[in-house]
Amino acid sequence: MKILLVCAGGMSTSILMQKMEKYWKEQGIELNIKAVGLGEYTEVFEEYDIVMVGPQVSYRLKEVKEKTGKPCETIGSFEYAIGDCPKIMALAESLYSQVNEEG
């Protein structure tokens, strides 16, 4: 699974990204993940299966969906804040299932 995380600047999401990488590895699932800011996602989204948006930029979700055409959803504020990897993983898997349906 290839996940692109989009946030305001890529900094706080980098912390979450590291937690996610560790959790996925513990689950025995291969994960390719990158955190970028709003100004960068249009340059790299084609390399990823799904796009997950940080809650601080959820107001741009519609735009991100339209520009990427990828399954895309906002990570809940609470899950994001505490790094709730099981819930974030469930959201990612739900989005990823849309990739298989579409393609």
Side-chain angles (χ1 to χ4, degrees):
M1 185 183 310
K2 295 180 180 178
I3 301 174
L4 183 63
L5 293 176
V6 180
C7 69
M11 299 309 270
S12 59
T13 308
S14 293
I15 296 164
L16 178 62
M17 181 179 77
Q18 291 171 355
K19 286 183 178 181
M20 289 170 68
E21 286 174 327
K22 182 177 186 279
Y23 181 77
W24 258 257
K25 188 174 184 179
E26 289 169 356
Q27 304 307 308
I29 300 171
E30 189 174 327
L31 176 67
N32 180 339
I33 187 166
K34 180 174 181 151
V36 297
L38 277 169
E40 298 174 73
Y41 80 91
T42 56
E43 300 166 17
V44 297
F45 76 86
E46 292 174 349
E47 301 169 30
Y48 297 88
D49 300 315
I50 64 173
V51 181
M52 299 180 84
V53 178
Q56 68 274 41
V57 292
S58 61
Y59 67 97
R60 302 276 294 269
L61 179 64
K62 183 179 178 193
E63 171 196 325
V64 172
K65 280 184 179 180
E66 289 172 355
K67 285 191 175 182
T68 66
K70 304 262 183 191
C72 183
E73 193 55 68
T74 302
I75 299 170
S77 298
F78 184 72
E79 289 82 5
Y80 184 91
I82 66 167
D84 188 339
C85 290
K87 286 194 177 167
I88 294 169
M89 183 180 203
L91 175 61
E93 288 173 339
S94 172
L95 289 170
Y96 191 68
S97 71
Q98 296 173 32
V99 171
N100 296 331
E101 290 171 9
E102 294 169 2

XYZ file of all heavy atoms in Angstrom:
803
model
N 0.844 -1.176 0.000
C 0.000 0.000 0.000
C 0.889 1.239 0.000
O 1.827 1.337 0.773
C -0.891 -0.028 1.251
C -1.893 1.095 1.298
S -2.921 1.156 2.805
C -3.514 -0.518 2.955
N 0.546 2.168 -0.868
C 1.301 3.415 -0.956
C 0.379 4.558 -0.548
O -0.625 4.821 -1.201
C 1.802 3.631 -2.379
C 2.810 2.601 -2.828
C 3.250 2.873 -4.242
C 4.266 1.852 -4.694
N 4.673 2.079 -6.075
N 0.755 5.217 0.559
C -0.078 6.277 1.130
C 0.644 7.617 1.058
O 1.795 7.732 1.465
C -0.407 5.987 2.610
C -1.138 4.654 2.751
C -1.234 7.135 3.208
C -1.356 4.230 4.198
N -0.073 8.620 0.568
C 0.429 9.982 0.594
C -0.338 10.721 1.686
O -1.567 10.775 1.666
C 0.210 10.667 -0.757
C 0.762 12.090 -0.870
C 2.288 12.105 -0.714
C 0.367 12.717 -2.198
N 0.390 11.251 2.668
C -0.206 12.056 3.739
C -0.022 13.523 3.377
O 1.095 13.949 3.087
C 0.488 11.790 5.070
C 0.336 10.417 5.705
C 1.178 10.324 6.971
C -1.109 10.132 6.029
N -1.092 14.271 3.412
C -1.024 15.688 3.083
C -1.415 16.497 4.310
O -2.461 16.261 4.908
C -1.966 16.036 1.911
C -1.892 17.525 1.584
C -1.628 15.205 0.681
N -0.548 17.450 4.682
C -0.870 18.330 5.802
C -0.436 19.743 5.455
O -0.063 20.017 4.320
C -0.221 17.835 7.093
S 1.552 17.986 7.126
N -0.464 20.615 6.430
C -0.147 22.016 6.169
C 1.291 22.183 5.689
O 1.542 22.832 4.681
C -0.408 22.857 7.410
N 2.239 21.576 6.400
C 3.623 21.748 6.009
C 4.421 20.471 5.951
O 5.570 20.469 5.534
N 3.854 19.372 6.398
C 4.551 18.099 6.372
C 5.278 17.756 7.663
O 5.790 16.657 7.798
N 5.315 18.671 8.617
C 6.100 18.431 9.827
C 5.379 17.522 10.834
O 5.891 16.474 11.191
C 6.457 19.762 10.504
C 7.297 20.663 9.617
S 8.737 19.827 8.926
C 9.907 20.161 10.192
N 4.194 17.913 11.286
C 3.498 17.089 12.275
C 3.126 15.739 11.688
O 3.122 14.721 12.381
C 2.253 17.806 12.802
O 1.363 18.096 11.748
N 2.843 15.720 10.415
C 2.478 14.459 9.772
C 3.680 13.531 9.693
O 3.509 12.316 9.663
C 1.865 14.727 8.391
O 0.813 15.675 8.560
C 1.289 13.477 7.785
N 4.879 14.060 9.681
C 6.075 13.218 9.666
C 6.147 12.364 10.932
O 6.550 11.207 10.878
C 7.336 14.068 9.546
O 7.376 14.690 8.286
N 5.737 12.930 12.049
C 5.718 12.177 13.312
C 4.703 11.047 13.203
O 4.989 9.897 13.551
C 5.389 13.122 14.494
C 6.490 14.173 14.654
C 5.179 12.324 15.779
C 6.115 15.353 15.515
N 3.514 11.358 12.708
C 2.481 10.344 12.527
C 2.961 9.276 11.543
O 2.757 8.083 11.753
C 1.181 10.978 12.025
C 0.040 10.003 11.750
C -0.373 9.276 13.027
C -1.142 10.732 11.141
N 3.616 9.692 10.492
C 4.122 8.773 9.482
C 5.063 7.739 10.106
O 4.975 6.547 9.812
C 4.857 9.560 8.389
C 5.406 8.724 7.264
S 6.234 9.746 6.020
C 7.774 10.085 6.860
N 5.928 8.177 10.985
C 6.858 7.254 11.647
C 6.110 6.253 12.521
O 6.435 5.070 12.531
C 7.877 8.037 12.485
C 8.842 8.820 11.618
C 9.710 9.775 12.434
O 9.552 9.931 13.638
N 10.641 10.426 11.757
N 5.083 6.716 13.232
C 4.270 5.807 14.042
C 3.568 4.788 13.149
O 3.483 3.607 13.480
C 3.222 6.588 14.840
C 3.769 7.346 16.014
C 2.630 8.016 16.777
C 3.143 8.749 17.986
N 2.058 9.377 18.750
N 3.035 5.260 12.021
C 2.332 4.377 11.105
C 3.271 3.324 10.521
O 2.914 2.146 10.441
C 1.675 5.188 9.987
C 0.486 6.007 10.462
S -0.125 7.176 9.212
C -0.796 6.048 7.984
N 4.462 3.743 10.132
C 5.435 2.795 9.579
C 5.743 1.692 10.586
O 5.777 0.516 10.252
C 6.729 3.513 9.183
C 6.595 4.329 7.919
C 7.835 5.157 7.618
O 8.525 5.615 8.565
O 8.108 5.369 6.424
N 5.944 2.090 11.836
C 6.251 1.119 12.894
C 5.074 0.172 13.105
O 5.247 -1.050 13.178
C 6.579 1.867 14.189
C 6.971 0.976 15.353
C 7.348 1.832 16.565
C 7.881 1.010 17.704
N 6.841 0.385 18.513
N 3.862 0.714 13.177
C 2.674 -0.110 13.416
C 2.444 -1.088 12.265
O 2.199 -2.264 12.487
C 1.446 0.784 13.626
C 0.198 -0.024 13.895
C -0.027 -0.594 15.148
C -0.749 -0.240 12.901
C -1.158 -1.357 15.396
C -1.881 -0.998 13.138
C -2.075 -1.550 14.388
O -3.198 -2.308 14.627
N 2.511 -0.606 11.041
C 2.300 -1.478 9.882
C 3.325 -2.611 9.878
O 2.989 -3.745 9.603
C 2.394 -0.676 8.592
C 1.094 -0.318 7.931
C 0.563 -0.921 6.835
C 0.183 0.737 8.259
N -0.619 -0.309 6.476
C -0.874 0.712 7.340
C 0.155 1.700 9.264
C -1.937 1.609 7.383
C -0.900 2.584 9.287
C -1.926 2.534 8.370
N 4.577 -2.260 10.190
C 5.636 -3.275 10.218
C 5.328 -4.343 11.262
O 5.501 -5.540 11.021
C 6.993 -2.620 10.498
C 8.164 -3.552 10.351
C 9.480 -2.809 10.509
C 10.646 -3.739 10.270
N 11.929 -3.055 10.381
N 4.851 -3.907 12.441
C 4.471 -4.850 13.500
C 3.340 -5.767 13.042
O 3.228 -6.896 13.495
C 4.041 -4.098 14.761
C 5.184 -3.411 15.480
C 4.716 -2.456 16.573
O 3.484 -2.251 16.737
O 5.586 -1.888 17.258
N 2.489 -5.273 12.141
C 1.368 -6.062 11.620
C 1.791 -6.945 10.439
O 0.994 -7.708 9.915
C 0.219 -5.135 11.174
C -0.293 -4.201 12.240
C -0.689 -4.912 13.522
O -1.461 -5.857 13.495
N -0.146 -4.467 14.640
N 3.051 -6.780 10.023
C 3.561 -7.579 8.908
C 3.074 -7.113 7.550
O 3.002 -7.887 6.595
N 2.725 -5.825 7.453
C 2.211 -5.272 6.197
C 3.206 -4.261 5.649
O 3.674 -3.377 6.366
C 0.838 -4.598 6.423
C -0.161 -5.638 6.954
C 0.331 -3.962 5.136
C -1.464 -5.056 7.416
N 3.485 -4.395 4.355
C 4.419 -3.465 3.714
C 3.715 -2.133 3.485
O 2.569 -2.090 3.038
C 4.888 -4.040 2.380
C 6.017 -3.244 1.770
C 6.580 -3.897 0.529
O 6.592 -5.144 0.451
O 7.002 -3.153 -0.362
N 4.404 -1.079 3.804
C 3.834 0.260 3.681
C 4.856 1.190 3.054
O 5.999 1.250 3.474
C 3.436 0.796 5.068
C 2.920 2.228 5.124
C 1.580 2.348 4.403
C 2.749 2.677 6.571
N 4.412 1.930 2.044
C 5.205 2.976 1.434
C 4.426 4.256 1.709
O 3.307 4.413 1.232
C 5.340 2.717 -0.072
C 6.156 3.784 -0.776
O 6.305 4.893 -0.294
N 6.663 3.438 -1.933
N 5.001 5.141 2.505
C 4.266 6.324 2.941
C 5.148 7.559 2.864
O 6.350 7.490 3.095
C 3.722 6.103 4.384
C 2.811 7.240 4.808
C 4.832 5.891 5.373
C 2.002 6.934 6.053
N 4.529 8.680 2.507
C 5.262 9.935 2.434
C 4.357 11.049 2.932
O 3.161 11.059 2.637
C 5.681 10.227 0.990
C 6.447 11.523 0.837
C 6.974 11.713 -0.570
C 7.746 13.022 -0.624
N 8.799 12.991 -1.610
N 4.931 11.975 3.690
C 4.195 13.139 4.181
C 4.667 14.378 3.420
O 5.861 14.609 3.303
C 4.443 13.328 5.677
N 3.708 15.117 2.893
C 4.024 16.345 2.158
C 3.065 17.453 2.563
O 1.979 17.196 3.085
C 3.948 16.143 0.619
C 4.964 15.127 0.141
C 2.548 15.757 0.179
N 3.456 18.672 2.279
C 2.593 19.815 2.522
C 1.652 20.041 1.349
O 1.811 19.440 0.281
N 0.684 20.914 1.538
C -0.294 21.213 0.491
C 0.355 21.682 -0.809
O -0.160 21.414 -1.884
C -1.274 22.291 0.969
C -2.428 21.807 1.820
C -3.152 22.985 2.448
C -3.381 20.958 1.013
N 1.471 22.342 -0.702
C 2.130 22.848 -1.897
C 2.841 21.785 -2.714
O 3.237 22.045 -3.852
N 2.989 20.583 -2.165
C 3.756 19.541 -2.844
C 2.953 18.385 -3.399
O 3.421 17.682 -4.291
C 4.777 18.936 -1.866
C 5.816 19.883 -1.333
C 6.657 19.183 -0.283
O 7.491 18.331 -0.664
O 6.449 19.473 0.912
N 1.760 18.135 -2.873
C 1.073 16.884 -3.209
C 0.805 16.716 -4.701
O 0.832 15.603 -5.215
C -0.211 16.713 -2.395
C -1.402 17.489 -2.897
C -2.284 16.914 -3.817
C -1.666 18.781 -2.462
C -3.383 17.623 -4.289
C -2.754 19.477 -2.918
C -3.611 18.904 -3.837
O -4.692 19.603 -4.292
N 0.575 17.825 -5.412
C 0.259 17.699 -6.836
C 1.449 17.199 -7.649
O 1.271 16.695 -8.750
C -0.229 19.045 -7.428
O 0.760 20.047 -7.197
C -1.553 19.460 -6.805
N 2.644 17.316 -7.091
C 3.853 16.876 -7.800
C 4.129 15.387 -7.635
O 4.853 14.810 -8.438
C 5.062 17.671 -7.296
C 4.928 19.165 -7.515
C 5.953 19.961 -6.723
O 6.971 19.391 -6.261
O 5.726 21.171 -6.558
N 3.551 14.754 -6.584
C 3.925 13.368 -6.286
C 2.753 12.393 -6.162
O 2.978 11.190 -6.072
C 4.765 13.294 -4.987
C 6.069 14.048 -5.136
C 3.982 13.806 -3.785
N 1.512 12.873 -6.188
C 0.374 11.995 -5.876
C 0.261 10.787 -6.800
O -0.252 9.748 -6.402
C -0.946 12.781 -5.856
C -1.480 13.132 -7.216
C -2.284 12.235 -7.913
C -1.171 14.355 -7.794
C -2.778 12.565 -9.167
C -1.668 14.688 -9.037
C -2.471 13.782 -9.735
N 0.717 10.902 -8.026
C 0.563 9.802 -8.986
C 1.304 8.540 -8.561
O 0.979 7.447 -9.011
C 1.007 10.247 -10.377
C 0.061 11.290 -10.966
C 0.546 11.872 -12.275
O 1.705 11.645 -12.654
O -0.254 12.571 -12.927
N 2.291 8.682 -7.681
C 3.082 7.542 -7.222
C 2.393 6.769 -6.094
O 2.904 5.749 -5.642
C 4.442 8.031 -6.706
C 5.261 8.778 -7.748
C 6.468 9.472 -7.132
O 6.998 8.976 -6.128
O 6.857 10.531 -7.663
N 1.223 7.230 -5.625
C 0.568 6.655 -4.451
C -0.817 6.106 -4.787
O -1.451 6.532 -5.744
C 0.494 7.704 -3.330
C 1.882 8.090 -2.901
C 2.572 9.116 -3.542
C 2.555 7.366 -1.929
C 3.889 9.419 -3.206
C 3.867 7.669 -1.584
C 4.521 8.688 -2.235
O 5.819 8.972 -1.908
N -1.260 5.147 -3.963
C -2.569 4.518 -4.160
C -3.693 5.362 -3.579
O -4.774 5.467 -4.158
C -2.610 3.141 -3.480
C -1.571 2.184 -4.027
O -1.423 2.116 -5.266
O -0.901 1.509 -3.217
N -3.449 5.901 -2.382
C -4.474 6.667 -1.668
C -3.858 7.930 -1.079
O -2.640 8.025 -0.915
C -5.146 5.842 -0.546
C -4.133 5.466 0.542
C -5.835 4.608 -1.116
C -4.759 4.799 1.773
N -4.732 8.883 -0.753
C -4.296 10.136 -0.139
C -5.057 10.311 1.167
O -6.286 10.206 1.200
C -4.568 11.339 -1.068
C -4.097 12.634 -0.425
C -3.916 11.138 -2.434
N -4.308 10.551 2.245
C -4.915 10.837 3.548
C -4.524 12.258 3.938
O -3.355 12.626 3.849
C -4.447 9.819 4.589
C -4.850 8.396 4.210
S -4.334 7.159 5.407
C -5.679 7.270 6.565
N -5.532 13.024 4.354
C -5.340 14.444 4.630
C -5.376 14.674 6.135
O -6.255 14.156 6.825
C -6.461 15.253 3.923
C -6.347 16.731 4.220
C -6.417 15.006 2.419
N -4.421 15.464 6.618
C -4.404 15.822 8.032
C -5.588 16.710 8.370
O -6.075 17.465 7.521
N -6.085 16.637 9.609
C -7.275 17.407 9.988
C -7.099 18.917 9.848
O -8.058 19.626 9.582
C -7.526 17.005 11.438
C -6.263 16.383 11.920
C -5.568 15.831 10.712
N -5.865 19.388 9.965
C -5.634 20.830 9.871
C -5.851 21.375 8.459
O -5.976 22.578 8.271
C -4.241 21.198 10.407
C -3.074 20.717 9.570
C -2.624 19.295 9.878
O -3.427 18.406 10.084
N -1.322 19.074 9.870
N -5.916 20.498 7.471
C -6.181 20.938 6.096
C -7.419 20.252 5.517
O -7.590 20.171 4.307
C -4.946 20.729 5.172
C -3.819 21.662 5.577
C -4.497 19.285 5.163
N -8.295 19.776 6.392
C -9.492 19.072 5.932
C -10.378 19.953 5.051
O -11.102 19.447 4.203
C -10.296 18.537 7.120
O -10.717 19.598 7.941
N -10.285 21.260 5.228
C -11.064 22.180 4.401
C -10.657 22.111 2.930
O -11.372 22.593 2.063
C -10.939 23.617 4.928
C -9.549 24.204 4.781
C -9.229 25.023 3.701
C -8.558 23.930 5.715
C -7.946 25.560 3.557
C -7.286 24.462 5.588
C -6.992 25.267 4.510
O -5.721 25.786 4.364
N -9.525 21.489 2.632
C -9.051 21.344 1.244
C -9.300 19.936 0.690
O -8.855 19.620 -0.404
C -7.553 21.651 1.169
C -7.150 23.036 1.643
C -7.268 24.129 0.610
N -6.378 24.002 -0.499
C -5.155 24.532 -0.583
N -4.658 25.204 0.418
N -4.436 24.373 -1.671
N -10.019 19.089 1.432
C -10.239 17.701 1.014
C -10.875 17.608 -0.367
O -10.421 16.846 -1.219
C -11.102 16.957 2.041
C -11.430 15.501 1.702
C -10.160 14.654 1.653
C -12.409 14.920 2.701
N -11.911 18.382 -0.614
C -12.604 18.330 -1.910
C -11.632 18.647 -3.047
O -11.601 17.968 -4.070
C -13.788 19.294 -1.915
C -14.603 19.232 -3.195
C -15.788 20.172 -3.156
C -16.541 20.094 -4.477
N -17.508 21.172 -4.617
N -10.832 19.676 -2.854
C -9.842 20.072 -3.869
C -8.828 18.947 -4.109
O -8.505 18.630 -5.256
C -9.108 21.332 -3.400
C -7.918 21.694 -4.264
C -6.996 22.691 -3.593
O -7.492 23.575 -2.854
O -5.773 22.597 -3.805
N -8.341 18.333 -3.018
C -7.357 17.253 -3.143
C -7.975 16.077 -3.899
O -7.352 15.515 -4.798
C -6.829 16.811 -1.753
C -5.956 15.578 -1.869
C -6.058 17.958 -1.085
N -9.213 15.728 -3.577
C -9.906 14.642 -4.284
C -10.015 14.937 -5.769
O -9.766 14.084 -6.612
C -11.318 14.436 -3.721
C -11.396 13.652 -2.461
C -12.855 13.448 -2.065
C -12.974 12.631 -0.811
N -14.370 12.409 -0.410
N -10.423 16.175 -6.085
C -10.618 16.551 -7.487
C -9.300 16.555 -8.260
O -9.235 16.091 -9.394
C -11.296 17.918 -7.577
C -12.744 17.885 -7.147
C -13.380 19.259 -7.034
O -12.676 20.290 -7.201
O -14.594 19.314 -6.754
N -8.255 17.072 -7.646
C -6.970 17.167 -8.347
C -6.285 15.820 -8.517
O -5.596 15.608 -9.512
C -6.035 18.143 -7.631
C -6.422 19.584 -7.849
C -5.352 20.533 -7.374
C -5.740 21.952 -7.725
N -4.724 22.908 -7.321
N -6.455 14.923 -7.546
C -5.742 13.645 -7.621
C -6.569 12.540 -8.268
O -6.009 11.644 -8.892
C -5.311 13.158 -6.223
O -6.475 12.850 -5.442
C -4.452 14.192 -5.514
N -7.881 12.575 -8.088
C -8.726 11.492 -8.572
C -8.499 10.186 -7.823
O -8.908 9.119 -8.259
N -7.840 10.270 -6.687
C -7.518 9.084 -5.873
C -8.500 8.974 -4.711
O -9.081 9.973 -4.288
C -6.108 9.212 -5.276
C -5.012 9.441 -6.289
C -4.328 8.169 -6.616
C -3.179 8.420 -7.586
N -2.662 7.211 -8.118
N -8.657 7.757 -4.148
C -9.412 7.656 -2.899
C -8.739 8.542 -1.849
O -7.522 8.486 -1.674
C -9.306 6.178 -2.541
C -9.085 5.487 -3.845
C -8.227 6.448 -4.637
N -9.539 9.369 -1.193
C -8.975 10.402 -0.328
C -9.919 10.655 0.841
O -11.126 10.720 0.650
C -8.812 11.659 -1.175
S -8.059 13.044 -0.367
N -9.353 10.794 2.038
C -10.179 11.073 3.214
C -9.332 11.793 4.261
O -8.109 11.679 4.266
C -10.733 9.773 3.794
C -11.840 9.956 4.801
C -13.004 10.770 4.274
O -13.723 10.285 3.373
O -13.187 11.907 4.745
N -10.012 12.508 5.142
C -9.339 13.202 6.239
C -9.180 12.249 7.414
O -10.100 11.511 7.757
C -10.171 14.423 6.686
O -10.354 15.298 5.581
C -9.480 15.172 7.812
N -8.023 12.282 8.047
C -7.796 11.535 9.282
C -8.487 12.315 10.398
O -8.339 13.535 10.490
C -6.286 11.408 9.583
C -5.586 10.648 8.457
C -6.058 10.731 10.934
C -4.068 10.684 8.545
N -9.245 11.630 11.232
C -9.940 12.288 12.337
C -8.977 13.029 13.255
O -7.846 12.576 13.476
N -9.419 14.145 13.782
C -8.564 14.979 14.640
C -7.999 14.217 15.829
O -6.807 14.312 16.134
C -9.346 16.191 15.162
O -9.756 17.002 14.103
N -8.853 13.449 16.498
C -8.405 12.709 17.675
C -7.406 11.627 17.290
O -6.349 11.493 17.916
C -9.603 12.118 18.416
C -9.229 11.424 19.698
C -8.824 12.162 20.805
C -9.265 10.042 19.796
C -8.465 11.528 21.982
C -8.907 9.401 20.972
C -8.507 10.140 22.071
N -7.731 10.857 16.261
C -6.844 9.786 15.805
C -5.489 10.356 15.385
O -4.440 9.801 15.678
C -7.472 9.008 14.644
C -8.632 8.134 15.041
C -9.957 8.885 15.165
O -10.023 10.090 14.847
O -10.933 8.247 15.605
N -5.540 11.491 14.714
C -4.316 12.163 14.268
C -3.487 12.609 15.476
O -2.287 12.370 15.540
C -4.697 13.361 13.399
C -3.524 14.095 12.801
C -3.039 13.747 11.550
C -2.925 15.155 13.471
C -1.975 14.427 10.987
C -1.865 15.830 12.918
C -1.389 15.468 11.677
O -0.325 16.146 11.121
N -4.162 13.250 16.437
C -3.467 13.820 17.593
C -2.757 12.761 18.431
O -1.638 12.984 18.896
C -4.443 14.614 18.457
N -3.417 11.612 18.619
C -2.811 10.592 19.472
C -2.070 9.515 18.679
O -1.474 8.614 19.249
C -3.849 9.938 20.413
C -4.888 9.136 19.624
C -4.497 10.974 21.304
C -5.738 8.222 20.499
N -2.131 9.619 17.350
C -1.461 8.611 16.533
C -2.112 7.244 16.668
O -1.444 6.239 16.865
N -3.441 7.214 16.589
C -4.210 5.966 16.740
C -4.056 5.128 15.469
O -4.930 5.111 14.598
C -5.677 6.301 17.019
C -6.505 5.078 17.377
O -6.100 3.949 17.041
O -7.570 5.269 17.984
N -2.956 4.412 15.390
C -2.627 3.660 14.179
C -3.646 2.590 13.801
O -3.920 2.423 12.615
C -1.219 3.083 14.278
S 0.037 4.380 14.185
N -4.244 1.857 14.751
C -5.258 0.884 14.337
C -6.434 1.533 13.590
O -6.878 1.021 12.574
C -5.702 0.247 15.653
C -4.501 0.379 16.540
C -3.900 1.710 16.182
N -6.913 2.669 14.087
C -8.025 3.345 13.410
C -7.586 3.959 12.088
O -8.317 3.932 11.109
C -8.651 4.403 14.321
C -9.476 3.786 15.424
C -10.348 4.782 16.103
C -11.198 4.064 17.148
N -11.845 4.980 18.047
N -6.384 4.517 12.053
C -5.870 5.098 10.815
C -5.645 3.992 9.780
O -5.932 4.162 8.599
C -4.584 5.913 11.081
C -4.924 7.133 11.960
C -3.936 6.346 9.771
C -3.728 7.861 12.519
N -5.186 2.846 10.245
C -4.978 1.713 9.343
C -6.318 1.240 8.769
O -6.416 0.944 7.578
C -4.294 0.567 10.072
C -3.986 -0.615 9.193
S -3.173 -1.900 10.181
C -2.324 -2.790 8.897
N -7.359 1.208 9.593
C -8.687 0.809 9.113
C -9.183 1.778 8.038
O -9.740 1.355 7.020
C -9.673 0.744 10.281
N -8.957 3.074 8.244
C -9.341 4.073 7.256
C -8.548 3.859 5.966
O -9.104 3.889 4.870
C -9.109 5.485 7.800
C -9.363 6.640 6.828
C -10.810 6.649 6.351
C -9.002 7.971 7.485
N -7.255 3.630 6.098
C -6.398 3.404 4.922
C -6.860 2.175 4.145
O -6.930 2.197 2.910
C -4.946 3.254 5.348
N -7.192 1.100 4.864
C -7.639 -0.121 4.197
C -8.967 0.096 3.484
O -9.194 -0.424 2.392
C -7.729 -1.273 5.198
C -6.356 -1.747 5.623
C -6.377 -2.784 6.736
O -7.389 -2.883 7.471
O -5.376 -3.508 6.861
N -9.843 0.885 4.080
C -11.116 1.215 3.446
C -10.880 1.991 2.150
O -11.486 1.703 1.118
C -11.973 2.033 4.413
O -13.126 2.513 3.776
N -9.986 2.972 2.204
C -9.654 3.741 1.007
C -8.999 2.854 -0.044
O -9.309 2.936 -1.231
C -8.722 4.909 1.355
C -9.345 6.064 2.143
C -8.273 7.011 2.624
C -10.369 6.799 1.302
N -8.103 1.989 0.400
C -7.381 1.109 -0.523
C -8.325 0.146 -1.227
O -8.128 -0.208 -2.379
C -6.270 0.370 0.207
C -5.328 -0.343 -0.723
C -4.487 0.370 -1.572
C -5.274 -1.736 -0.762
C -3.620 -0.290 -2.439
C -4.405 -2.396 -1.615
C -3.589 -1.656 -2.457
O -2.732 -2.311 -3.312
N -9.374 -0.270 -0.545
C -10.355 -1.170 -1.168
C -11.034 -0.485 -2.350
O -11.435 -1.134 -3.300
C -11.394 -1.643 -0.159
O -12.269 -0.598 0.204
N -11.121 0.843 -2.321
C -11.691 1.604 -3.436
C -10.763 1.570 -4.655
O -11.227 1.622 -5.786
C -11.953 3.049 -3.032
C -12.987 3.204 -1.954
C -13.083 4.637 -1.464
O -12.871 5.581 -2.218
N -13.399 4.799 -0.186
N -9.459 1.483 -4.425
C -8.490 1.396 -5.514
C -8.762 0.129 -6.304
O -8.802 0.134 -7.530
C -7.033 1.390 -4.977
C -6.048 1.089 -6.095
C -6.694 2.708 -4.318
N -8.960 -0.969 -5.592
C -9.190 -2.252 -6.250
C -10.526 -2.270 -6.990
O -10.629 -2.903 -8.032
C -9.118 -3.378 -5.220
C -7.736 -3.493 -4.608
O -6.752 -3.159 -5.254
N -7.663 -3.928 -3.373
N -11.523 -1.562 -6.469
C -12.828 -1.508 -7.131
C -12.753 -0.698 -8.418
O -13.373 -1.034 -9.406
C -13.868 -0.868 -6.200
C -14.237 -1.739 -5.025
C -15.096 -0.998 -4.011
O -15.535 0.135 -4.296
O -15.322 -1.544 -2.926
N -11.972 0.407 -8.380
C -11.887 1.297 -9.530
C -10.953 0.777 -10.606
O -11.144 1.017 -11.773
C -11.398 2.683 -9.077
C -12.387 3.377 -8.181
C -11.829 4.612 -7.511
O -10.669 4.971 -7.773
O -12.548 5.216 -6.709
N -9.877 0.101 -10.167
C -8.880 -0.248 -11.149
C -8.714 -1.702 -11.273
O -8.117 -2.277 -12.085
